Amino acid sequence: MSQNNIPVSEVYWSLVDKADKKFSKIRDLPYYERNRYNTYFYKVFKVYTQLWKFQQENRQKLVEAGLKRWEIGDIASRIGQLYFGQYMRTSEASYLSESYIFYEAVLTREYFKEGLFQDLNLANKQLRFLSRFLLVCLVLNRREMVHQLVNQLKLLVDECKRTFQETDFKEWKLVVQEIVKFLKADTAFMNIRPLRYSFLLDLHPDFLPHVTNAKRKLILRDAILSSYHPNEVKFSELTLDTFRMLQCLEWEPRGSFYQSSGASSSGTGTNFSQNGAAGPGCINYSQDITDPTLPPNPHKAVLYRTSITHFIAVLATICEELPPDGILFIYLSASGSSLHTMSSPSRTCIGNKNIIRSSQSHIIHSGENSTSPFGSPCDSPNPSSGQSKGDCLNYQTSCLHSGARGGRGVNCIFPCDIIPFTRRPLFLVIDSDSSKTFMAINGAEKGEPAVMLLSPSSSSPMPAAVDSSHHPSGSLFTSFLTAPLQALCLLLGFSGSDIEMDMYNKAEKLLSLSLNDWGSMLATSDNLDPAWAQVLGDPFLRRLLLRFIFCLAVLTLYAPTFNKKEFLPECMPYLPEVVLPTTAASQTAIMKIVNVLGATNSFIFSEGIMLPENKQTGEE
């Protein structure tokens, strides 16, 4: 370049212009169709690698030519943004850690500090940087850094309002309110143990029980996570429910996300190699969280306030890319509307207690489809004789609202929208007051049986100190699937400040034993539906199903929801009777756990159900 007598500054700004153009293209690419867009990432990253290396080698000349510190920070911030975007597309933890390294370098070097309150554009750059870094730290669960960034964000917004026009920072004030509400809801109590799959706390995949009934083993490869409720707790486009579910579908490498290293932030990421990795004087978080013994994380597409056309486009694309042994996980959390009324539930007597017998208690006999005791979810008001199961979908009027109500269905997801994609294996979790309408999918699949976990249609009654709605603390059903013991404690009115850790740890051990027992029962059951059998070998899906069984047992036996079907979750296909709340084994398991928590009186158990140590000698 020097031979051609091209000034260093011109070469630099040419690289900046080239990098800007490529960045603007990849920034707007969707977080799905990963196979197609991986090459885009490497092309744009190659340009930023060249740009970063060039400014390092020619820093003095560039500064003399007028290069500002904030312009260097802008490059580092964009590289961090690229890494985070690639993490969102691939779910690879190494990209997440690299993003953290670059963002922390910008923070510790204070690239945007000089002239911050003299330049409105520079102030907005610093605010955008802080909010993006906050999101990275939240997903990494680096809570100390999160609180440090929140304090900086508050102070900066307040100072900018005094220095510039206050109207220019109304949106940033809302951002501050968002993150404060988010942290108030997602407390340390909800993160006592990792939401990610940890080999220290969860069964290693190599030790999962062999499933007797499994004709094949499906692996969770992809997930679609979508949540929308008016005024729900969120930060950026990550709602509290999708945030918890996103973590629940990832491995926790070596426990590093949740164990503080005790290292100081200063110095981390202060030196970069050509490819953007940390230099020799830095803590390399990517080495800490990259574990070659772990399988890859399932890919995840997080959708917020999505239109039905976009949802279907994402769903179709992922189904097209799904490997032959893959299963697609779909999580939908949204408010619903229903004009469809189900019939009354059947009941069964256990001892002298009248406990609701949910549709889970209907065992599949000889492979035949059983009928829900609530009535078929697609029973029409006036069904014609000879109406087929598929025809009943014409009478379905229930939907989930993925955005603001109205728009003639543009923001509505109906069960029939999912059915065409049942040509591939699907695992559905529907968290909505209209969740039961998705039972219509069962029996109407186009090739593969879909399995479903469906939330209660009504929120469980909770102590006055704990609000059970979606807005303040997220969904209780989703909490049971992602943090089951914490969900039980919330249901009982406990919080992090009034529960003893020794008591909590004892309850956690009992819960782990109970989940493993239910898992073994399912694996060896002759009555386990083949649709469940083929997903039970996947660690993530197995864990969700077992936690659902725990949730069903708790809400069935909990006194305020006892005998009330609207407070109980459902699953399709039905589960074997051996794991239902009506069994002595399940009731004893719940009794042990709630006894440790001192809440036995809040539950209704069958006569004869006693703690083992309280049984009479010789009694079985």
Side-chain angles (χ1 to χ4, degrees):
M1 296 179 189
S2 58
Q3 293 177 352
N4 297 329
N5 296 320
I6 302 176
V8 168
S9 58
E10 287 189 22
V11 176
Y12 174 77
W13 289 113
S14 175
L15 280 172
V16 169
D17 184 59
K18 184 178 179 181
D20 284 348
K21 289 178 179 177
K22 289 189 177 295
F23 181 86
S24 63
K25 289 181 180 179
I26 198 170
R27 180 182 54 193
D28 299 325
L29 295 178
Y31 286 156
Y32 57 98
E33 291 191 89
R34 290 163 301 275
N35 295 339
R36 180 180 301 180
Y37 293 129
N38 275 345
T39 54
Y40 284 89
F41 169 76
Y42 292 114
K43 286 180 180 178
V44 69
F45 187 72
K46 182 179 179 180
V47 174
Y48 272 96
T49 299
Q50 293 172 348
L51 178 60
W52 186 258
K53 182 181 178 182
F54 188 83
Q55 65 83 23
Q56 281 186 315
E57 294 173 346
N58 300 276
R59 177 72 62 84
Q60 186 60 39
K61 291 180 180 179
L62 290 171
V63 170
E64 291 173 358
L67 180 68
K68 302 290 192 299
R69 280 185 59 78
W70 70 262
E71 292 172 312
I72 301 171
D74 212 25
I75 299 171
S77 180
R78 284 198 168 185
I79 294 174
Q81 193 176 344
L82 282 172
Y83 271 127
F84 184 71
Q86 191 67 357
Y87 160 74
M88 292 297 290
R89 289 184 178 89
T90 64
S91 297
E92 290 185 23
S94 58
Y95 290 126
L96 188 60
S97 70
E98 294 288 1
S99 179
Y100 180 93
I101 290 169
F102 271 89
Y103 278 134
E104 192 187 34
V106 176
L107 182 74
T108 55
R109 291 181 174 189
E110 299 181 321
Y111 279 119
F112 297 117
K113 184 177 182 180
E114 186 179 337
L116 182 64
F117 298 113
Q118 285 78 45
D119 188 337
L120 179 61
N121 180 54
L122 193 56
N124 276 301
K125 279 184 180 292
Q126 174 74 340
L127 289 167
R128 284 194 295 271
F129 154 72
L130 289 174
S131 64
R132 287 171 182 150
F133 192 16
L134 260 173
L135 189 58
V136 171
C137 292
L138 273 177
V139 178
L140 269 171
N141 206 38
R142 297 187 64 83
R143 291 306 173 107
E144 289 185 8
M145 181 60 79
V146 166
H147 290 293
Q148 178 183 332
L149 292 172
V150 169
N151 289 334
Q152 288 196 31
L153 188 65
K154 287 179 181 177
L155 292 173
L156 183 57
V157 170
D158 288 341
E159 186 63 33
C160 286
K161 284 164 59 180
R162 287 191 292 268
T163 306
F164 304 103
Q165 290 290 331
E166 183 172 350
T167 54
D168 293 332
F169 295 92
K170 283 185 177 180
E171 290 186 2
W172 287 112
K173 185 177 179 181
L174 295 177
V175 171
V176 171
Q177 292 173 354
E178 267 193 1
I179 187 60
V180 169
K181 288 180 181 178
F182 194 100
L183 295 175
K184 185 178 180 181
D186 195 52
T187 61
F189 174 66
M190 290 303 293
N191 293 278
I192 288 177
R193 62 161 284 169
L195 273 64
R196 289 180 169 90
Y197 198 105
S198 170
F199 290 168
L200 297 176
L201 301 164
D202 302 295
L203 275 181
H204 192 284
D206 293 342
F207 299 109
L208 296 182
H210 173 71
V211 184
T212 306
N213 237 6
K215 295 181 180 179
R216 62 172 174 169
K217 179 182 177 181
L218 295 177
I219 301 173
L220 177 60
R221 300 293 190 185
D222 282 88
I224 297 175
L225 311 178
S226 181
S227 172
Y228 173 73
H229 296 272
N231 304 317
E232 70 184 325
V233 175
K234 72 178 188 70
F235 181 64
S236 184
E237 293 189 350
L238 199 60
T239 70
L240 191 58
D241 290 337
T242 54
F243 171 70
R244 289 172 177 166
M245 191 58 70
L246 178 145
Q247 293 182 81
C248 189
L249 299 179
E250 291 193 349
W251 305 103
E252 183 185 342
R254 302 176 187 174
S256 61
F257 286 169
Y258 291 84
Q259 294 176 2
S260 173
S261 64
S264 170
S265 308
S266 61
T268 303
T270 55
N271 295 300
F272 299 98
S273 64
Q274 179 178 345
N275 65 357
C282 311
I283 300 169
N284 194 334
Y285 289 104
S286 117
Q287 290 180 358
D288 291 337
I289 71 172
T290 303
D291 189 340
T293 65
L294 290 175
N297 286 324
H299 293 157
K300 291 172 287 293
V302 180
L303 308 179
Y304 176 68
R305 296 193 70 165
T306 181
S307 66
I308 183 58
T309 51
H310 183 239
F311 172 76
I312 290 176
V314 175
L315 180 54
T317 302
I318 293 177
C319 282
E320 182 68 21
E321 295 180 348
L322 196 66
D325 65 345
I327 184 170
L328 170 60
F329 177 87
I330 300 176
Y331 170 79
L332 297 175
S333 176
S335 58
S337 61
S338 177
L339 301 178
H340 184 77
T341 304
M342 293 186 178
S343 59
S344 301
S346 63
R347 300 179 187 274
T348 186
C349 190
I350 306 178
N352 292 332
K353 303 293 183 181
N354 195 27
I355 292 184
I356 186 169
R357 187 176 192 180
S358 77
S359 62
Q360 313 308 324
S361 62
H362 280 242
I363 312 302
I364 297 179
H365 298 286
S366 304
E368 295 175 1
N369 292 328
S370 56
T371 305
S372 168
F374 297 161
S376 169
C378 44
D379 285 342
S380 63
N382 297 296
S384 60
S385 59
Q387 176 185 349
S388 70
K389 196 162 189 176
D391 292 339
C392 67
L393 292 173
N394 295 330
Y395 296 94
Q396 279 298 335
T397 54
S398 299
C399 67
L400 305 186
H401 295 281
S402 60
R405 292 174 183 261
R408 295 184 179 273
V410 173
N411 297 322
C412 296
I413 299 176
F414 291 86
C416 58
D417 295 322
I418 306 291
I419 290 176
F421 302 98
T422 55
R423 292 171 172 86
R424 305 306 304 271
L426 302 182
F427 189 115
L428 302 172
V429 173
I430 310 296
D431 192 347
S432 171
D433 49 5
S434 292
S435 65
K436 304 297 171 59
T437 192
F438 281 77
M439 293 171 71
I441 295 174
N442 182 252
E445 295 98 329
K446 299 299 183 182
E448 292 281 355
V451 294
M452 291 172 274
L453 304 181
L454 308 173
S455 72
S457 55
S458 297
S459 298
S460 302
M462 298 172 74
V466 181
D467 193 331
S468 64
S469 70
H470 278 272
H471 312 322
S473 57
S475 159
L476 183 67
F477 180 65
T478 295
S479 294
F480 265 108
L481 298 182
T482 56
L485 188 57
Q486 291 94 316
L488 172 61
C489 291
L490 289 175
L491 181 70
L492 298 174
F494 295 119
S495 65
S497 59
D498 56 17
I499 188 168
E500 297 178 3
M501 283 310 299
D502 286 344
M503 178 175 69
Y504 181 90
N505 290 333
K506 288 179 183 177
E508 184 69 57
K509 289 179 181 178
L510 288 171
L511 175 59
S512 295
L513 290 172
S514 298
L515 294 175
N516 289 336
D517 287 344
W518 281 319
S520 298
M521 292 176 190
L522 286 177
T524 57
S525 173
D526 294 333
N527 293 319
L528 181 66
D529 189 281
W532 285 120
Q534 66 184 5
V535 304
L536 202 57
D538 181 88
F540 296 113
L541 302 181
R542 176 184 184 272
R543 189 170 67 158
L544 287 170
L545 178 57
L546 298 182
R547 289 173 172 181
F548 171 86
I549 293 171
F550 173 66
C551 175
L552 175 63
V554 166
L555 295 179
T556 299
L557 302 172
Y558 184 50
T561 56
F562 183 79
N563 254 4
K564 299 173 182 176
K565 71 178 181 64
E566 66 271 20
F567 297 119
L568 301 183
E570 292 269 5
C571 78
M572 297 295 290
Y574 306 129
L575 293 173
E577 192 167 7
V578 67
V579 297
L580 296 183
T582 56
T583 65
S586 292
Q587 292 192 48
T588 302
I590 300 302
M591 181 179 283
K592 288 179 181 179
I593 296 170
V594 299
N595 180 65
V596 169
L597 298 175
T600 309
N601 292 336
S602 297
F603 292 80
I604 300 175
F605 298 100
S606 302
E607 289 186 0
I609 301 296
M610 301 173 63
L611 293 172
E613 59 269 26
N614 293 333
K615 289 188 176 182
Q616 299 296 325
T617 304
E619 189 177 88
E620 296 182 359

